[in-house]
Amino acid sequence: MTIPPDIENVALLGWHVYPMNNRTKAGCFKGAHRAASCDLDIIERWCRDYPGCNWRVVMGPSRLFALDVDRAGQTHRADGFAALGKLVEKHGPLPRRPMTRTGGSGGAVLFFRHNGEELRGASGCPAPGLDPHRNGQAIVIPPSRHPVTGGAYTWRKGCAPWEVAPPPIPDWLAHMLRPPPEPERDYRRNPFYVTNDRAFQVLMKAVHEVETAPSGGSNDTLNKQSYRIGRWCGAGVLDPSEARESLLVAARARGIPFREARDTIRSGLRGGMRNPHRERTA
């Protein structure tokens, strides 16, 4: 099976991709997210094993940051284009960058180079209708088709990554996405604590578990992972609002209805926060 030209081109640029179910946004096999690769031999095998699949690129190993811009309509409520337009009007134009057109929904994804800046990845940040993706997060790329509308994802004319390299993240955007400073904690009163780095790793794993949850068990997985993350929020090393938004993004990618996902996450986080995780450091 021949590798789709779009996938071959981005793999040659070092973008780490993996095959995705074209109906649910879940990976085609367990652990697909972690197996993301730019090795053409591996990708060719995936093409043979999963013909007609969709594709995602993982931000971290690809050194990418992506800004998903929603178009209000069938699949989204907020108008990300209007929100981004106001930000650009205030802070200045965005540099020329790779950019996709989201299949059927009218949205877009803007790609930038990620040089290790600390960035938040919660949906609706820095404004409703704008969803940042970084580190362990992944996003759909051409030649995939939208699971709801059936429309094709395409690169905007002249904006494919082999035509224009991802530029650095604009300073003003990086500043708006910068995480808040860590709250001060009195370790003399509470010698049991957990580190932010490990908490972030657990959150990324939880997002992956939800996105790749098996059919018929997605809501149970979401509940379990929400409780797990709630324990880290209760320990004071994860922001509950960011955790909630990250889990909502994962639930949306898995196809869990919004209200169901919202209620499950809320219940799970609350339960976990009542039983905060504690770990003695060395």
Side-chain angles (χ1 to χ4, degrees):
M1 180 67 68
T2 303
I3 301 175
D6 286 348
I7 299 303
E8 181 175 3
N9 286 336
V10 298
L12 290 172
L13 294 173
W15 290 27
H16 286 61
V17 301
Y18 69 90
M20 184 184 80
N21 189 295
N22 55 21
R23 292 187 298 274
T24 66
K25 287 192 175 182
C28 286
F29 57 91
K30 187 175 182 180
H33 183 281
R34 293 189 293 273
S37 177
C38 59
D39 186 305
L40 293 180
D41 290 335
I42 294 175
I43 294 172
E44 185 176 21
R45 187 181 73 242
W46 288 339
C47 290
R48 290 196 305 269
D49 293 344
Y50 311 105
C53 66
N54 283 345
W55 296 89
R56 273 187 165 188
V57 57
V58 181
M59 301 294 102
S62 307
R63 297 189 63 193
L64 292 173
F65 167 78
L67 187 65
D68 190 357
V69 185
D70 296 336
R71 176 81 70 183
Q74 179 182 356
T75 57
H76 301 287
R77 294 181 181 178
D79 188 347
F81 284 89
L84 184 59
K86 291 180 181 178
L87 291 174
V88 168
E89 183 178 353
K90 179 178 180 180
H91 298 284
L94 295 171
R96 188 165 176 255
R97 69 276 160 191
M99 186 174 177
T100 65
R101 180 181 287 106
T102 304
S105 69
V109 178
L110 287 56
F111 290 89
F112 301 91
R113 187 171 73 249
H114 190 190
N115 292 322
E117 302 93 334
E118 287 192 74
L119 304 169
R120 286 180 288 174
S123 178
C125 183
L130 301 176
D131 297 333
H133 293 260
R134 82 284 185 263
N135 298 341
Q137 295 173 313
I139 201 160
V140 184
I141 57 173
S144 304
R145 302 192 75 86
H146 198 284
V148 176
T149 66
Y153 287 76
T154 59
W155 294 106
R156 300 264 178 160
K157 185 177 181 180
C159 292
W162 52 91
E163 296 173 312
V164 52
I169 304 169
D171 290 340
W172 62 265
L173 180 57
H175 178 76
M176 295 184 75
L177 293 172
R178 189 175 301 153
E182 294 184 23
E184 293 186 6
R185 295 187 292 275
D186 188 349
Y187 297 125
R188 292 170 300 179
R189 296 179 59 187
N190 180 15
F192 300 96
Y193 63 97
V194 290
T195 65
N196 289 66
D197 287 343
R198 186 174 174 202
F200 174 77
Q201 293 173 2
V202 173
L203 178 58
M204 288 300 96
K205 184 176 180 180
V207 166
H208 170 67
E209 292 294 328
V210 172
E211 290 181 339
T212 60
S215 299
S218 57
N219 198 53
D220 288 341
T221 299
L222 179 61
N223 181 60
K224 178 181 178 181
Q225 296 302 325
S226 297
Y227 176 83
R228 184 184 184 196
I229 295 305
R231 297 190 66 195
W232 293 81
C233 293
V237 291
L238 275 180
D239 178 68
S241 61
E242 181 169 354
R244 180 172 57 252
E245 291 300 326
S246 296
L247 290 167
L248 274 173
V249 170
R252 184 175 67 181
R254 184 61 186 85
I256 303 174
F258 173 77
R259 291 186 178 180
E260 179 181 339
R262 179 195 60 192
D263 294 344
T264 297
I265 293 169
R266 180 185 299 158
S267 174
L269 287 177
R270 285 178 177 174
M273 291 175 71
R274 288 194 292 267
N275 183 28
H277 185 80
R278 301 186 187 278
E279 175 184 343
R280 185 186 297 275
T281 60

